[in-house]
Amino acid sequence: MRVFDFDGTIYDGESLFDLYLFSAKYNPKVLRYIAPVLRYAIKYKLGRATFDQMEYGVGKLCHGYLSELAESLEFEELVNAFWDQNMKRIKPWYKPREDDAILTASFDITVGEACRRLGVQHLVSSTIDDNTLNVNYLNFNTNKPKRFRELYGDNVRVDEFYTDSRFDQPMIDMARRAYMVKGNKIHQVK
């Protein structure tokens, strides 16, 4: 099985951030969520926020953002319009295979559509409850290998893992071979 991080790895950019900016065209009120989201992300990257703080903050902000957005349009329509415009940002070196899995901190309701269009059937992502718009699971950092094993078993064999971040070290450790992706350059790290 080949496993790929999504944002920055096979997608050129951060899809959630890009979707957020894209959605502001439809409902400018959502722009008020940009500063808090960036603050949480920077604090976490600098080691000034714990995973629990990040999980709480992202969950709270995501619920507010989706609730605000739901007042003006159907989220599914927005996601389809976003991917109509942004599938071209899938890096040209990525050629999907039947047993590929996408492992991402992004949400199922967004990356799931990209996976469907790529023909990728295995997605391990953060999840949102469709009815309450609350975050069910944040698939980030150590949660990635934990959730991956829950879905595919403790004995799952990861032949190749591709990422753009050392935050994915637990998945690098789990893989037989691992690759660091920077732009369109791929470098074997294990």
Side-chain angles (χ1 to χ4, degrees):
M1 174 181 267
R2 297 187 316 166
V3 180
F4 297 84
D5 175 52
F6 189 76
D7 296 305
T9 302
I10 65 170
Y11 176 81
D12 186 15
E14 294 292 325
S15 63
L16 281 178
F17 186 72
D18 293 342
L19 177 68
Y20 171 75
L21 293 176
F22 183 82
S23 70
K25 293 189 287 188
Y26 297 91
N27 185 341
K29 289 181 184 179
V30 300
L31 286 172
R32 67 181 165 177
Y33 294 97
I34 195 165
V37 167
L38 288 175
R39 186 172 57 247
Y40 274 108
I42 291 168
K43 279 182 162 183
Y44 185 79
K45 290 234 180 212
L46 293 174
R48 295 188 181 141
T50 66
F51 179 75
D52 289 340
Q53 290 169 326
M54 179 77 170
E55 193 170 35
Y56 171 78
V58 169
K60 184 176 158 190
L61 291 168
C62 187
H63 180 269
Y65 163 74
L66 289 172
S67 297
E68 188 86 50
L69 203 54
E71 294 175 6
S72 57
L73 74 153
E74 290 293 321
F75 195 72
E76 188 175 313
E77 290 174 33
L78 173 74
V79 169
N80 281 323
F82 174 78
W83 287 114
D84 286 346
Q85 183 175 316
N86 287 283
M87 281 303 290
K88 63 186 178 219
R89 293 181 69 180
I90 300 296
K91 295 180 181 181
W93 61 263
Y94 177 65
K95 305 294 183 217
R97 293 186 195 161
E98 188 175 316
D99 70 337
D100 284 354
I102 301 297
L103 180 69
T104 181
S106 290
F107 292 99
D108 54 349
I109 60 175
T110 58
V111 176
E113 177 58 21
C115 287
R116 187 190 67 72
R117 292 178 186 210
L118 289 167
V120 174
Q121 297 176 26
H122 305 284
L123 173 63
V124 182
S125 62
S126 297
T127 59
I128 293 175
D129 183 296
D130 292 336
N131 296 320
T132 65
L133 303 179
N134 289 325
V135 174
N136 287 336
Y137 188 80
L138 190 58
N139 196 50
F140 190 74
N141 200 342
T142 56
N143 276 0
K144 281 185 172 183
K146 176 184 168 195
R147 184 70 174 145
F148 190 78
R149 284 187 179 107
E150 286 173 2
L151 293 173
Y152 297 103
D154 288 333
N155 297 323
V156 65
R157 182 174 148 174
V158 177
D159 297 309
E160 299 175 7
F161 178 66
Y162 295 78
T163 185
D164 69 323
S165 172
R166 284 288 178 182
F167 276 108
D168 284 329
Q169 189 63 48
M171 286 303 299
I172 291 170
D173 294 342
M174 187 181 190
R176 292 179 66 218
R177 289 179 305 281
Y179 301 88
M180 192 62 61
V181 178
K182 297 294 176 203
N184 284 316
K185 294 183 180 178
I186 302 167
H187 174 74
Q188 188 169 358
V189 294
K190 179 181 176 186

